[in-house]
Amino acid sequence: MVQTRRQSAARVEQAPAKDREWVRQPAEVKPTFSVATLRKAIPAHCWQRSLVKSSAYLAADIAMLATLVWASTFIDAAPLPAAARWLILWPLYWFFAGAVATGMWVIAHECGHQAFSESQAVNDGVGLVVHSCLLVPYYSWKHSHRRHHSNTGSLAKDEVFVPPFRAEVTNGYEWEQAFPVRLVKLVGTVTVGWPLYLFFNSSSHHYEKKWVNHFDPWSPIFSKRERLEVAISDVALVAVLYGLKQVAGVMGWAWLAKTYVVPYLVVNFWLVTITLLQHTHPELPHYSDAEWDWLRGALATVDRTYGWLLNTLHHNIQDTHVAHHLFSTMPHYHAKEATEALKPILGDYYRYDDRPLLKAMWQDFSLCRYAAPDTPGSGIYWFRK
């Protein structure tokens, strides 16, 4: 259940019978605290970016993933029925390899925020290598993601997970409410949502250009000074794809599919799921230009938990996201302590959700079909079902 400190906050649309009430973030009232106040509340050591410590986390992830890949070479020869190998052993490998690789993705993401070390050259070098190995265009995503952090919660300027929005709430049945449609859209989002975003800018900021993507240096997503770095990302991806082709030539395409492609798809699932649920919640607002400011937008996110194991393997990206949006250059290994320091000041502006993952995915995807203000003309938009 999402925990708040003052249950007198305004009520949102209720979920179906036997479900909980949603209590909105107090978005109509601007925070009385400032970013400076929040910064002072965080212990000084939380701002330290240690190359040694960050590298140790990355090395641990690489070692775990290498061990999993090595162990997977014994699966097909295991003295078990083929059904057990395919229904138990390979899924276990895919789950853990995907989770560990997601942790590596998170560390590369921190490189883009300059949170890995004090050196920008080191950050970008590590981020480019790690993200490229996961088929992520490092610089391209770094620049678009920075714009997301600069415009979070803005219906006009945010870069990702911009919900459909309407001038007023509409009543009556719509075909998107049908169970099969919702299920297909949810499955599609968590399976092909990431490549659709990279190749077609799906669910993101609207640009006038017909085809907007993360691989075109002249895409309107990027400024002129960023074009060369976008091209560097493209070259790095081509190099990795060529390397994978060479590995497949030696090990076989079936081996590559089982060992690399499926865990890669698992990483994509976690990437979309984590980021979708961080910004999609019945209690979170979106803002028009007239109401938006950076602090209100940064607070329009929610911390969640997927259990100790996944939280740990994902380097707590899901349960410290509020602190991350407020102070994105802070390393992940200080984010939990910083979150605890921020909670007393944030009060009702802090949102935490401990519902089971699948339940939260289905409920929030169903309850958050579009955003609309309570009254026409208001600049504060709430998710509607």
Side-chain angles (χ1 to χ4, degrees):
M1 181 176 293
V2 179
Q3 299 172 359
T4 60
R5 290 174 172 77
R6 290 192 297 270
Q7 294 299 313
S8 58
R11 292 174 60 191
V12 186
E13 292 180 271
Q14 286 186 296
K18 297 184 180 181
D19 214 333
R20 41 131 337 125
E21 291 186 5
W22 304 105
V23 182
R24 288 176 174 173
Q25 189 183 80
E28 290 83 359
V29 181
K30 289 190 176 184
T32 57
F33 49 82
S34 65
V35 176
T37 302
L38 297 173
R39 181 179 291 273
K40 290 178 182 178
I42 298 175
H45 67 267
C46 290
W47 304 105
Q48 296 175 4
R49 297 170 290 179
S50 168
L51 175 59
V52 172
K53 195 166 187 176
S54 297
S55 298
Y57 276 98
L58 178 58
D61 285 345
I62 293 173
M64 283 191 290
L65 187 59
T67 301
L68 287 165
V69 171
W70 171 78
S72 74
T73 62
F74 298 96
I75 292 178
D76 287 335
L80 294 171
R85 295 197 298 268
W86 282 104
L87 297 177
I88 299 175
L89 297 184
W90 277 114
L92 280 173
Y93 165 75
W94 295 329
F95 173 84
F96 282 103
V100 172
T102 301
M104 296 174 62
W105 200 104
V106 171
I107 291 177
H109 151 262
E110 288 201 338
C111 290
H113 283 294
Q114 306 306 310
F116 187 83
S117 76
E118 299 287 343
S119 168
Q120 181 172 342
V122 170
N123 293 334
D124 286 341
V126 172
L128 179 63
V129 171
V130 176
H131 259 172
S132 296
C133 288
L134 297 171
L135 299 184
V136 178
Y138 171 73
Y139 282 111
S140 308
W141 187 84
K142 168 187 171 181
H143 295 314
S144 66
H145 188 63
R146 184 181 68 248
R147 293 184 175 88
H148 161 61
H149 272 258
S150 299
N151 300 284
T152 308
S154 169
L155 290 172
K157 298 177 181 178
D158 201 351
E159 271 294 333
V160 67
F161 290 122
V162 181
F165 57 94
R166 306 174 185 179
E168 59 185 55
V169 178
T170 54
N171 296 314
Y173 183 82
E174 298 179 356
W175 68 275
E176 290 182 338
Q177 295 172 252
F179 174 88
V181 176
R182 284 184 287 153
L183 181 61
V184 168
K185 290 185 67 174
L186 176 57
V187 172
T189 297
V190 298
T191 53
V192 297
W194 175 241
L196 286 177
Y197 171 65
L198 291 180
F199 282 96
F200 302 102
N201 212 39
S202 177
S203 299
S204 186
H205 181 74
H206 174 72
Y207 293 96
E208 293 302 324
K209 188 176 180 180
K210 187 173 182 180
W211 183 23
V212 177
N213 63 78
H214 277 71
F215 306 100
D216 178 7
W218 285 268
S219 170
I221 300 173
F222 312 114
S223 65
K224 290 182 179 179
R225 65 181 180 84
E226 295 166 349
R227 290 175 181 170
L228 176 59
E229 292 182 333
V230 175
I232 291 173
S233 294
D234 293 345
V235 172
L237 289 179
V238 171
V240 170
L241 289 170
Y242 177 78
L244 291 173
K245 180 178 179 296
Q246 295 301 107
V247 169
V250 175
M251 303 296 294
W253 287 100
W255 181 91
L256 185 69
K258 291 185 294 185
T259 307
Y260 178 89
V261 175
V262 177
Y264 162 76
L265 296 176
V266 174
V267 172
N268 288 356
F269 165 83
W270 283 123
L271 168 60
V272 173
T273 299
I274 291 169
T275 52
L276 173 67
L277 292 182
Q278 285 166 343
H279 298 283
T280 305
H281 194 283
E283 300 180 357
L284 295 179
H286 280 73
Y287 299 96
S288 69
D289 276 347
E291 289 284 351
W292 183 89
D293 62 52
W294 184 86
L295 180 56
R296 296 173 92 182
L299 293 172
T301 185
V302 60
D303 284 350
R304 298 180 184 264
T305 179
Y306 300 162
W308 175 85
L309 178 63
L310 286 173
N311 288 351
T312 302
L313 293 177
H314 294 168
H315 300 308
N316 299 103
I317 188 64
Q318 51 269 72
D319 58 336
T320 61
H321 195 67
V322 175
H324 173 67
H325 257 277
L326 290 167
F327 304 109
S328 59
T329 59
M330 183 187 302
H332 71 271
Y333 41 82
H334 293 315
K336 291 190 72 173
E337 184 178 358
T339 296
E340 294 304 314
L342 291 170
K343 283 181 183 179
I345 301 174
L346 295 176
D348 282 353
Y349 288 93
Y350 178 75
R351 283 295 184 271
Y352 177 80
D353 193 333
D354 63 359
R355 283 175 297 159
L357 173 62
L358 294 179
K359 180 179 181 180
M361 288 175 64
W362 178 252
Q363 287 186 339
D364 291 359
F365 198 82
S366 302
L367 294 171
C368 304
R369 288 200 306 114
Y370 70 96
D374 287 339
T375 58
S378 171
I380 302 176
Y381 287 66
W382 297 99
F383 283 114
R384 312 289 176 173
K385 65 178 179 179

